[in-house]
Amino acid sequence: MTESNRNADSVRFVHSIPEAGRLLPSSSRWNSIELDFNFYPQSSSPAGYDFLPPKYSRSIDFNLTISDQSHFRRFIVLLVSIVVAILITILLINILLLRKHNNHHGSSKDITSALSKALLFFDAQKSGVFPKDSSVKFRGDSGLDDGNDAGGFINADLVGGFYDSGNNMKFSFPTAYTVTLLSWTVVEYHDKYADIDELEHIKDIIKWGSHYLLKLFHPSNATHSPILYSQVGSPGNDSTNAGNFFKDNDISCWQRPEDMNYPRPVSACDITAADLAGEIVAGMAAASLVFKQDQDFSHKLVQSAEELFNLVNKTGHSQRTFTSIDKCGGKARRYYNSSGYKDELVWSGMWLFFATGNVTYLDYATQNFASAEEEEVSSEIEVFSWDNKLSATAILLTRLRFFRDVGYPYETTLRAATNRIDLLMCSYTRKLKFPKTSGGLILLKPESSGPLQYAATASFLAKLYSDYLELMHSTSSNCGSAAFSIQTLTSFSWSQVKYILGDNPMKISYIVGYGQHFPTHVHHRSASIPWDGKWHTCEEGDNYWLKSTNPNPNTIVGAMVSGPDKNDLFLDDRSKNWFTEPSISSNAGLVAALVSLQDPPNHSSHLDAVNLGIDKNGLFQNIQFVPSNS
């Protein structure tokens, strides 16, 4: 077949390249396959090309003759229709699967609304000079003299921080835990926060708490030893000053914080209060990752955290829980009685490692993890809360094992941590260990009130771990003979959050301001007393506002109350704080659960294989390498 006996456009050549697996256009018949559908006169060129040198690809002349072009056209139309139908079917199946994946358990819109509201609660809990542009309109400046009554310790500037719950006390221990947990969620899920325009909001909350943490630690100088401030305000149970028990204080007086004029004593500790020190270290270290762009503030947080960590670890066998020391945590014992201190120390070691990249802190965390487990009391095992951080630390160690293969000498502890987490996930998803209410709420501490706080952190850990597994391209894991999947973890996580949002036998949302039916008699001083420009006495508050059957005049939006009892019964009664009181530590767990379940943004700033809205390398930004000590 030659140029002289055929129109140049009569033949279409394509070149077959076996290695590429595709057809390429060609101007040379020797590097092509000629597809001739016999629409033009046939060529008289030789049919065989066996004489060609081996280095050339063979060209084959397909002599396909179409006798009836109308049948051919119908065939082409039918073929194209089948291909299009298959493509549309595949597209619809993928859309349905995606919709099922995203909406099977709940609405992202509902989660976004609940999350935005949950963050507002922290704005309502702010102490100190209240922001003028706050959306919370029933709060003002308060606690401006906090720190001036430090007893035998030096007076300090302790203005700021958060009121703990419905009373006017400020506890350092749960405040530090709150800062740590909220910071963790930002490092992991900052794309999600940004996508719903809440990133700057939560960073403001964390900064408010971080500034206060910096005030709680006073290093030693020429006149005094290191000091940790554990509490501002008093419930009146100070055993060293029993005569003050019946005087006005933060428990006996039902009064807005703006109206306080009773003494606000300060509780302080020496450096042997290891759990308090450890949680403050963790909070400062975790927050430093959130504010990495603000280098001065981030450096200040890391510097203080390292100094405090090194000081407390020099105390050795003198280390104790802060609530075992009367002057330090005696007043907090009724509310935040710490069951151990080693979990806070390994927790703080992990956060310092992430904040600095210094493997000395990883050494500490891994070398002391087993002894911290030995200290763990039975009622706190597998419960992540202000009191116990071992399960959360195990998650962090497992994250390190999954995404940073650090090897020897850490692998043994990291593998043990992963085994612990797998057992924890099995305990969440199976009914063999923890009971559930008839409405489906897991009871991690069946004999305690306030079950929602523990269910919320369990929901967070389950969803976070499922994200880790998915980033590993794993669909499941196991704990011995039992197994769990990403789907079962996600289902458990959703079940607890849906219960909190209103899918429960009482048909009530336990987040104030969310849904059509939520608690209106919240045990909260600021919410229950009108913001009317008047000064209200303690007697007035106790005799009228506390005991009033009317709904609160102010809606404490976003507050998660303590929740129901083990029979799913809830009483919306202001005087029954075991049902209706919120706290910052509980809400921190709620925020963590909600953001973990929030849909990921359409476009992530991180090039992960799976877009889950999680920053796979966020915790590792300061880790350059981990040397082997083999």
Side-chain angles (χ1 to χ4, degrees):
M1 187 160 40
T2 64
E3 185 79 8
S4 60
N5 62 11
R6 174 176 292 183
N7 187 308
D9 294 332
S10 65
V11 178
R12 299 293 182 265
F13 295 105
V14 291
H15 182 198
S16 174
I17 303 176
E19 293 81 359
R22 63 184 185 275
L23 299 177
L24 300 177
S26 174
S27 61
S28 169
R29 67 176 302 163
W30 306 118
N31 297 323
S32 67
I33 296 174
E34 179 183 347
L35 302 180
D36 189 346
F37 290 96
N38 207 31
F39 293 121
Y40 298 96
Q42 297 302 299
S43 171
S44 59
S45 300
Y49 301 103
D50 292 336
F51 62 92
L52 288 176
K55 67 178 181 179
Y56 293 102
S57 60
R58 301 292 178 88
S59 182
I60 301 172
D61 204 355
F62 287 99
N63 187 20
L64 302 179
T65 303
I66 297 174
S67 60
D68 190 334
Q69 292 192 18
S70 63
H71 287 164
F72 175 70
R73 292 191 186 96
R74 283 197 292 269
F75 169 74
I76 293 298
V77 170
L78 179 61
L79 181 63
V80 171
S81 299
I82 292 173
V83 171
V84 170
I86 292 173
L87 291 174
I88 291 175
T89 302
I90 293 173
L91 180 62
L92 288 174
I93 289 174
N94 279 279
I95 290 174
L96 291 173
L97 288 175
L98 181 62
R99 184 174 298 173
K100 182 179 180 181
H101 176 75
N102 289 337
N103 298 326
H104 177 70
H105 299 289
S107 167
S108 180
K109 181 179 178 181
D110 292 342
I111 290 293
T112 301
S113 175
L115 177 56
S116 297
K117 287 177 168 59
L119 292 175
L120 288 174
F121 173 69
F122 296 98
D123 296 331
Q125 295 299 104
K126 288 180 176 178
S127 178
V129 179
F130 200 74
K132 302 304 179 185
D133 58 350
S134 175
S135 61
V136 180
K137 302 304 180 185
F138 58 90
R139 288 295 324 282
D141 296 349
S142 64
L144 299 184
D145 293 326
D146 283 353
N148 290 344
D149 186 9
F153 295 89
I154 63 169
N155 290 341
D157 171 16
L158 295 178
V159 176
F162 300 102
Y163 296 111
D164 177 67
S165 52
N167 55 58
N168 297 335
M169 287 185 288
K170 297 193 300 192
F171 294 105
S172 303
F173 195 48
T175 296
Y177 163 80
T178 296
V179 171
T180 311
L181 182 50
L182 292 181
S183 297
W184 187 7
T185 70
V186 172
V187 177
E188 298 277 25
Y189 294 116
H190 54 87
D191 276 349
K192 289 186 178 185
Y193 282 117
D195 190 53
I196 61 172
D197 296 324
E198 291 291 355
L199 181 58
E200 294 307 313
H201 186 187
I202 191 169
K203 287 175 71 174
D204 171 76
I205 293 167
I206 295 170
K207 179 165 279 192
W208 189 276
S210 300
H211 277 297
Y212 188 68
L213 295 187
L214 289 170
K215 295 181 177 184
L216 297 178
F217 168 47
H218 276 247
S220 60
N221 58 24
T223 61
H224 65 83
S225 300
I227 296 174
L228 288 175
Y229 294 103
S230 61
Q231 183 175 326
V232 177
S234 173
N237 62 347
D238 186 353
S239 60
T240 63
N241 193 7
N244 286 330
F245 184 83
F246 296 104
K247 293 183 178 180
D248 291 339
N249 57 61
D250 290 283
I251 291 298
S252 66
C253 180
W254 193 266
Q255 191 176 45
R256 295 179 310 204
E258 292 81 5
D259 294 340
M260 297 183 299
N261 63 359
Y262 49 78
R264 297 265 292 168
V266 173
S267 297
C269 320
D270 62 25
I271 212 66
T272 62
D275 50 353
L276 176 60
E279 192 58 66
I280 293 174
V281 168
M284 291 191 291
S288 73
L289 295 170
V290 174
F291 300 108
K292 60 183 179 181
Q293 302 301 330
D294 186 348
Q295 294 184 1
D296 289 342
F297 185 53
S298 181
H299 176 71
K300 186 175 183 180
L301 288 168
V302 171
Q303 187 178 42
S304 294
E306 288 193 283
E307 183 176 4
L308 177 53
F309 183 85
N310 292 331
L311 283 172
V312 74
N313 279 291
K314 289 179 180 178
T315 60
H317 295 295
S318 299
Q319 294 172 346
R320 296 176 284 176
T321 62
F322 84 106
T323 48
S324 67
I325 309 168
D326 281 342
K327 289 185 178 181
C328 172
K331 298 176 184 178
R333 198 173 294 141
R334 173 183 168 188
Y335 307 94
Y336 293 101
N337 191 25
S338 178
S339 62
Y341 62 85
K342 292 181 180 179
D343 60 308
E344 278 80 26
L345 291 180
V346 297
W347 172 247
S348 62
M350 284 304 299
W351 283 110
L352 271 178
F353 171 59
F354 292 137
T356 65
N358 187 339
V359 295
T360 301
Y361 301 120
L362 178 61
D363 291 341
Y364 181 90
T366 53
Q367 290 169 11
N368 290 277
F369 186 78
S371 63
E373 286 189 305
E374 292 172 1
E375 183 191 62
E376 194 174 20
V377 299
S378 59
S379 62
E380 295 295 329
I381 294 176
E382 298 186 329
V383 179
F384 175 34
S385 71
W386 54 266
D387 188 32
N388 190 354
K389 289 87 181 183
L390 273 179
S391 290
T393 302
I395 283 271
L396 293 177
L397 288 167
T398 300
R399 192 192 207 285
L400 190 64
R401 180 172 181 246
F402 282 177
F403 306 119
R404 282 288 190 277
D405 185 12
V406 295
Y408 182 87
Y410 310 107
E411 180 60 24
T412 299
T413 300
L414 267 59
R415 187 183 298 111
T418 302
N419 291 339
R420 177 185 173 115
I421 292 305
D422 286 338
L423 287 168
L424 177 64
M425 296 303 132
C426 281
S427 73
Y428 289 163
T429 56
R430 307 182 74 205
K431 299 179 180 180
L432 301 180
K433 183 168 186 178
F434 294 112
K436 291 183 180 180
T437 68
S438 59
L441 180 67
I442 192 169
L443 298 174
L444 295 168
K445 299 183 71 172
E447 304 308 316
S448 301
S449 60
L452 298 184
Q453 61 178 312
Y454 310 118
T457 52
S459 173
F460 167 61
L461 292 186
K463 184 59 174 67
L464 182 66
Y465 193 53
S466 76
D467 284 348
Y468 290 170
L469 291 175
E470 194 162 354
L471 284 175
M472 289 281 290
H473 302 286
S474 175
T475 59
S476 63
S477 188
N478 64 80
C479 52
S481 60
F484 57 88
S485 66
I486 290 176
Q487 287 73 25
T488 56
L489 291 180
T490 303
S491 294
F492 166 76
S493 183
W494 268 107
S495 70
Q496 301 309 296
V497 165
K498 286 174 67 177
Y499 186 103
I500 294 170
L501 296 181
D503 187 7
N504 54 66
M506 297 293 294
K507 302 302 178 186
I508 185 173
S509 162
Y510 291 113
I511 303 176
V512 177
Y514 178 86
Q516 298 301 313
H517 183 207
F518 51 82
T520 59
H521 298 74
V522 182
H523 185 91
H524 194 276
R525 285 159 173 77
S526 292
S528 67
I529 301 174
W531 185 251
D532 53 9
K534 300 178 182 178
W535 183 75
H536 296 282
T537 66
C538 294
E539 292 76 13
E540 182 183 356
D542 185 60
N543 294 329
Y544 183 74
W545 301 115
L546 172 60
K547 299 175 182 177
S548 171
T549 58
N550 294 326
N552 288 346
N554 308 307
T555 303
I556 184 80
V557 174
M560 183 177 74
V561 296
S562 296
D565 63 16
K566 59 185 177 182
N567 298 312
D568 293 307
L569 176 66
F570 175 78
L571 297 179
D572 189 9
D573 187 330
R574 191 179 298 110
S575 63
K576 293 180 171 56
N577 62 308
W578 56 93
F579 286 121
T580 57
E581 188 168 23
S583 71
I584 57 173
S585 57
S586 297
N587 255 64
L590 172 65
V591 167
L594 291 172
V595 74
S596 69
L597 291 169
Q598 172 70 36
D599 277 352
N602 291 328
H603 302 286
S604 175
S605 62
H606 304 281
L607 301 177
D608 295 326
V610 182
N611 179 20
L612 301 173
I614 191 170
D615 186 350
K616 181 178 178 181
N617 296 310
L619 279 173
F620 306 143
Q621 58 191 269
N622 295 313
I623 301 175
Q624 301 301 319
F625 66 94
V626 179
S628 174
N629 296 326
S630 57

